[in-house]
Amino acid sequence: MNAPTTLMEEDRSASVRPHLRERLVVIGNGMAGCRAVEEILARDPNRFDVTIFGAEPRVNYNRIMLSPVLSGEKAFEDIIINGDDWYAENAITLVAGDPVVSIDRATKTVVAKSGRVEPYDRLLIATGSDPFIIPVPGKDLAGVVTFRDLDDVDKMLSAAEKGGSAVVIGGGLLGLEAAHGLSLRGMKVAVVHLMPTLMERQLDEAAGYLLKTELERRGQTIVTGGDTAEIVGRDGHVSAVRLKDGREFAADIVVMAVGIRPGTTLARAAGLEVERGIVVDDHMVTSDPAVMAVGECVQHRGNCYGLVAPLWDMCRALADQACEQPSGYEGSVTSTKLKVSGIDLFSAGDFSGGDGAEDIVMRDASRGLYKRVVVRDNKLVGAVLYGDTADGSWYFDLLRKGEDISDIREALIFGQAFASGGALLDPNAAVAALSDDAEICGCNGVTKGKVVATINGGACSLDAVRSTCKASASCGSCTGLVESLLASTLGGAVQSGPKTMCKCTSFSHDDVRRLILEKDLRAIPQVLQELHWTTPDGCSSCRPALNYYLLCAWPGEYVDDQKSRFVNERMHANIQKDGTYSVVPRMWGGLTNPRELRAIADVVEKYNAPMVKVTGGQRLDIFGIKKEDLPAVWADLNAAGMVSGHAYGKSLRTVKTCVGSEWCRFGTQDSTGLGVKLERMTWGSWMPHKFKIAVSGCPRNCAEATIKDFGVVCVDSGYELHVGGNGGIKVRATDFLCKVITEDEAMELCAAFIQLYREQAHYLERTAPWIERVGLDHIKAGLFDQPDTVKRLAARFRYSQTFCQDDPWAQRVAGEDADLHQHMAQVRPLQLEAAQ
Amino acid sequence: MIGDWLDIGPVDQITPGTARTLPVLGGDEIAVFRTQANEFYALINKCPHKQGPLSQGIVHGNVVACPLHNWNISLKTGEALGEDKGCVPTIPLRVDAGRIYLLRSAVVGKRAA
């Protein structure tokens, strides 16, 4: 740090100089302090003698432009707001590099670090904010920097000159800009962000996902959900950053950009009212009428701002008050733009949705576009734009003015040019107004003329158009346009296509499954983006379905999304009407032994389970277990060799058996033995819906195999295989599939049939309605048309099973997802606790 | 002011898109939600329909689907959405410096009907 310097100082001693004008002392030579002075001068240049104290040894510059300085897109000179001449012209005393260390409100003076005492009539605190340093080991090592001022930028630049690696902790606006700058300067950059989504305060999950993908494409390593454990040093200098999960990233420099805190130290010490920030009223006056405050250090109506835009309004209100024309500041709606070249990103207002809030989402996968506006009470309340931010300012304007947008509601998402187009307000009319050679479907190069001709040629539904001329059959982004053309061409004669998956999408289950494979989609946010979901994070209907489809499509690679699973599959137990759970350990083929029965009996007593019941699937169900006790219950059952029975899952439930040839005088084959083998092969697999198997040892069918999803009926000459039975709401007897000679063939066909069901059925569709929908011939064709399909399907099933046969209970017992079972805290009011 | 608010711990105790529970001695259990968009809400952990534990439901937007019968409950107001009618009490919540605070009077005073 340079020695304190006074750039411009008149020779005036406060004690002797009679002051005609009020003395205004400003603490802080940043954007807020200087802007406030500018506003005051503009109103009344003769009212105050102004002295500005700055901690940095330089003139006032535009702090938000430090990012382009770091990346080399701008030089420091380019970002100076007020040079030496401004201070001189306005007779402002600038005390730079000599920070104020205390305020004495009784004597109305401030004391600087050098010992200089400055009296004031009015004091303006504009101390801005301080970077927040996370308290991890190694935070004080050399090479750990923040990103707040030009000195920080200089440190980063000198590190970048040497090359090597940088780790940025914090994936917010500032962190990403720092990462971008360092990356452009040639460093290998990793960003470690605690939250699952980048810039989660400004972006929703979808936009955060796009941003992450783009930054990764540019060569940055982006770690979301990364919790820093330690900054590792070598010889007093940083060498790496280690995360709590054990991952380590080499670092020659660490940029700490996790957030900022209002700079309130001085104000607090001076006894001013301070909460998170310095508390000010609508005129930016603190609890002391002679002291005003402005900028990131203040708290106004409960809000602290970390962005530049609110400054302008605050400074206006402050200057009005100081010049005795009080107007008042009413808080700001803020917007954000990321200053990373080539990435267009804008967010403003409230995009959390909620009651009465309506989301309008537009996605264009081929252009990497995501737009979302949130409307409440016919007013725009929030907007997130990624890929095309041209309309950001227009949306922001609508938002701030709170204008009624009901007239342009339909066209709002298409932007200003479209919404302001008068006659084009109706999307159908807008599409109808397009010329015949206008391209509708970019993926398949289909013009409007061709789509209309296709419709006139008899294609009366979206699906028919898709299959005839291929418009909207690929990425689907033009689905809305094609629907508009159907409406305008046919009037009321549009036929609706197959049922869509849910209200979040116009695609059917089959479309989604096909596109996941065709477009190589591997995560839920990616599906939502690429397939143009109309909601930001799906709903309770599509999320579990997508989770299953991805799990089925990418065995071993897809990471299961717990929060997209229904409670029972998340808790690995069955929720009951009172919120407790029931626990069903697996009993292979319905067989058990004294050890297992003792363990179950012990669990029932130990946890006071109010009921134990023999289930229809030949096992025991323990009722009334609290979620907190589940891991302990499972540990006891595991100890006796039992694993999860998946009685809660869209998965293989039980394999019911009769005793078969081993004991039964009618038995033709070893039905229990085959049942156990089938269960060992199929347990743990996730399915579109629950799946039950049974093996009966003779045609008397004691195991009721003909109302199961897959049933085996043993006969003297082999095994009859049946599929698609159901004993539920609508009883359906199985269809006979085929007869095989050996156990191995029965096992192979079971695996193949399950895989066909897993790959083709809709989520939450049991085998019975699936077969009713597609027909038994379709199933048979799927299995037998090619000589090796059974073998290939079975191989795919067995491969996927290699990732599924870990007991989920044992994983929880080992501590996985402990949060799901523990309360976050307990509230024990004192008077009640004393009474107990 | 702080005395009116009950500190129930850091925000990172709750994974976005999920909820955790807070039992209250002599009162109703509270569910504290964190949405994908990082909004925080606290509600009595009882669906207005059949008292299902809302904390165990799937969170989408700022709505939770009750695990028992799939009623959709607004996290903001506690109102059942769509055709269903009913409302669960909400508890005023604020987040400050990475910690979650609940309004003390509401925590010990509320009981679902």
Side-chain angles (χ1 to χ4, degrees), chain A residues 588-609:
Chain A
W588 306 97
L591 302 180
T592 185
N593 57 44
R595 184 169 177 236
E596 290 180 353
L597 291 171
R598 254 185 222 112
I600 290 172
D602 287 345
V603 160
V604 171
E605 286 185 349
K606 186 168 165 189
Y607 298 94
N608 290 318

Side-chain angles (χ1 to χ4, degrees), chain A residues 32-33 125-126 128 284 293-299 304-305 307 310-311 314-315:
Chain A
I125 303 177
M284 314 314 290
V294 73
E296 292 178 353
C297 61
V298 309
Q299 177 180 329
C304 295
Y305 297 96
L307 294 166
L311 282 186
M314 286 185 191
C315 290

Side-chain angles (χ1 to χ4, degrees), chain A residues 793-804:
Chain A
L793 282 164
R796 286 208 290 280
F797 179 68
R798 290 200 165 95
Y799 174 71
S800 128
Q801 283 296 85
T802 60
F803 305 101
C804 294

Side-chain angles (χ1 to χ4, degrees), chain A residues 733-786:
Chain A
T734 45
D735 292 310
F736 174 69
L737 184 67
C738 64
K739 186 180 156 193
V740 295
I741 309 301
T742 66
E743 267 195 3
D744 286 347
E745 289 170 299
M747 303 266 293
E748 187 83 346
L749 264 161
C750 176
F753 174 74
I754 288 179
Q755 188 63 12
L756 191 71
Y757 169 60
R758 295 182 76 232
E759 290 178 2
Q760 295 197 353
H762 299 169
Y763 189 67
L764 294 188
E765 186 174 47
R766 289 288 296 271
T767 56
W770 173 52
I771 291 177
E772 296 268 311
R773 178 168 63 83
V774 300
L776 184 64
D777 288 343
H778 175 87
I779 309 287
K780 284 185 170 169
L783 288 170
F784 304 124
D785 259 10
Q786 304 290 326

Side-chain angles (χ1 to χ4, degrees), chain A residues 195 276 355 581 627 823, chain B residues 21 25 34 56 74 77 96:
Chain A
M195 298 297 158
R276 264 185 307 158
D355 294 327
Y581 292 84
K627 74 172 180 194
H823 297 303
Chain B
T21 45
L25 187 67
R34 176 175 186 171
Q56 306 294 76
S74 159
T77 64
D96 192 357

Side-chain angles (χ1 to χ4, degrees), chain A residues 174-226:
Chain A
L174 213 53
L176 294 181
E177 292 185 6
H180 172 66
L182 291 169
S183 176
L184 283 191
R185 296 283 185 173
M187 294 193 90
K188 188 172 175 297
V189 179
V191 177
V192 175
H193 190 53
L194 184 61
M195 298 297 158
T197 305
L198 291 176
M199 290 179 66
E200 76 284 348
R201 287 172 63 186
Q202 290 88 19
L203 299 184
D204 56 14
E205 195 188 9
Y209 161 77
L210 287 171
L211 178 59
K212 178 167 184 267
T213 311
E214 172 61 21
L215 292 174
E216 284 169 342
R217 198 188 60 75
R218 293 174 174 215
Q220 295 182 24
T221 303
I222 307 286
V223 182
T224 48

